[in-house]
Amino acid sequence: MTDSPWPAPPQGTCGLPPALEVEVAILGAGIHGAALARELTLRGVSCALVDRGEVGGGTSQWSSQLLHGGIRYMLTGDIRQMREGLAERATWARIAPHRCRWEAFWMPHRFGLEGLAHRIGIGLYDHWGAERPGWPPALHLGHVPRAAFEADPRSIQGPFRGATAYADLMTWDRELTRDLAASSGALRLDFHEPEGFEDAGASLKALRLRDRRDGTARRLAARRWVFALGPWTDGAMAQWFGESRKRLRLSSGIHLWFDAVPGCERPWAIRRPKGRILFVIPRDGMLQVGTTEREVDDGWVPILEAERAELFEALGACLPAIPWRSLPVRAEELGVRPLVAAGGVTTHLSREAVLERHARFQNLTLVLGGKLTTARALMDHLATDLTGIRCEASRTEPLRLWDGQPAEIR
Ligand SMILES: Cc1cc2nc3c(=O)[nH]c(=O)nc-3n(C[C@H](O)[C@H](O)[C@H](O)COP(=O)(O)OP(=O)(O)OC[C@H]3O[C@@H](n4cnc5c(N)ncnc54)[C@H](O)[C@@H]3O)c2cc1C
């Protein structure tokens, strides 16, 4: 792991004292770390949220920004993951309505039988996902009327004959992560570099940190530790504890952002080979297109020309009436998915999450894999496990907005 790819910290200071003590120290302020901080706060347990960068500055700002059941699990047959995602989708719509927008996604089909299969699959998806708090009645699901389909420039000259609409929830991933952090009373130690751990043989005791903004040294003591380091987990475990075992396989995905294309009003989810989906999503006055899958070996990797070319090729083949290659790409981003390497082999499409109790340090848990959609539920489960306290409010208590201010020491 090199330091260079990490964004430089902003100006300023942290204001926290040099010695800190909490019940639970969380390393990694992505969606998992931030969600756990909220869960612990709801249970009245003190915690600290440590990150080398900014809150929500890792994978949790480069996702496709969908809180979803995963329509493609209908194809891969992973119904359990799908139903879990659908249930969680409703929870997010309840606790973070300000960060959620329901949409009717169109899934186009090439021929009649495929359309029938989509209608059956989507019918089940929307039946199992019928709990949709705040659903706008103007959005229509199921068969897309021919006139509406033909009015969309994506239907012109392409291979598709019609479409079926299904429901899913769009979000703003980095802002959602920040709201979770803001909804916690965690000591916020962002832009802090972990420099070394103190342990007592079978348990971690404290962490020495350096504030990357002004060089201040701090010591954080905790009874329990959770590492939610996303795709950087293996690198950190090697650096801190000399562990060579790979817990994750990493898969990059890119998105391209174009100016809005007139007439492209609904998001499209286009089935591609190997159970993959090409999303073409109008949002925030632009058109977001993604995503790809390439196995990589670090959380920071550049976008390859081949990845761009793959997206352009798919766009050209599926939606030929739009002159994609002459449209300026306004922004592009790459995120790295942390996929669990179950028994050393990652199931290509699995987005399963694992909570690993560390073999040597019994007070350390690692969060491996996962998705935005299921992060709250997974961290609810972990917080119950760590504290012995169940918390119904986790599923109902509205999130607070991120205000950028550090939480006060309690
Ligand atoms: C292209 C793409 C599309 C996706 N689309 C979706 C989607 O539509 N819906 C969905 O539900 N999920 C989606 N996902 C999955 C989802 O984005 C991730 O699973 C999730 O964001 C991972 O969150 P995390 O908290 O585990 O990791 P991260 O968000 O990566 O958080 C880890 C944190 O650890 C910090 N860190 C790293 N190393 C150190 C260190 N040494 N010391 C201190 N801090 C450190 C990082 O700065 C980072 O903030 C997508 C992922 C990708 C890549």
Side-chain angles (χ1 to χ4, degrees), residues 23-91:
E23 184 67 21
V24 184
I26 306 164
L27 270 64
I31 191 100
H32 285 112
L36 179 61
R38 170 180 177 264
E39 293 297 331
L40 292 168
T41 301
L42 285 172
R43 288 162 172 82
V45 173
S46 66
C47 62
L49 195 51
V50 179
D51 203 291
R52 193 182 208 181
E54 61 180 342
V55 176
T59 316
S60 301
Q61 66 171 339
W62 298 307
S63 78
S64 298
Q65 313 199 80
L66 303 175
L67 299 168
H68 58 164
I71 191 78
R72 68 180 177 177
Y73 297 140
M74 204 50 123
L75 311 171
T76 57
D78 196 341
I79 304 300
R80 189 195 55 73
Q81 254 202 92
M82 191 184 81
R83 295 194 70 172
E84 186 190 1
L86 289 171
E88 271 310 285
R89 200 180 67 170
T91 305

Side-chain angles (χ1 to χ4, degrees), residues 80-117:
R80 189 195 55 73
Q81 254 202 92
M82 191 184 81
R83 295 194 70 172
E84 186 190 1
L86 289 171
E88 271 310 285
R89 200 180 67 170
T91 305
W92 287 116
R94 255 193 317 271
I95 66 173
H98 53 288
R99 295 288 182 222
C100 292
R101 199 181 93 201
W102 286 108
E103 256 299 354
F105 282 70
W106 289 9
M107 179 168 276
H109 56 262
R110 292 170 177 81
F111 47 89
L113 213 55
E114 190 182 39
L116 182 64

Side-chain angles (χ1 to χ4, degrees), residues 3 35 56 72 80 89 125 181 199 209 218 223 231 313 341 386:
D3 243 337
R72 68 180 177 177
R80 189 195 55 73
R89 200 180 67 170
Y125 187 81
D199 67 70
L209 293 153
R218 294 196 166 81
R223 279 183 10 103
E313 197 179 314
L386 291 175

Side-chain angles (χ1 to χ4, degrees), residues 24-27 36 204 224-229 233 237 247 354-359 361-368 378-379 381-383 385-386:
V24 184
I26 306 164
L27 270 64
L36 179 61
L204 291 177
R224 294 175 191 279
W225 298 79
V226 175
F227 294 176
L229 300 166
T233 303
M237 295 307 281
R247 293 170 167 87
V354 168
L355 299 174
E356 178 192 311
R357 184 65 64 88
H358 194 262
F361 302 121
Q362 286 157 17
N363 62 346
L364 167 62
T365 305
L366 282 83
V367 179
L368 305 171
L378 187 69
M379 294 302 100
H381 175 80
L382 176 56
D385 193 41
L386 291 175

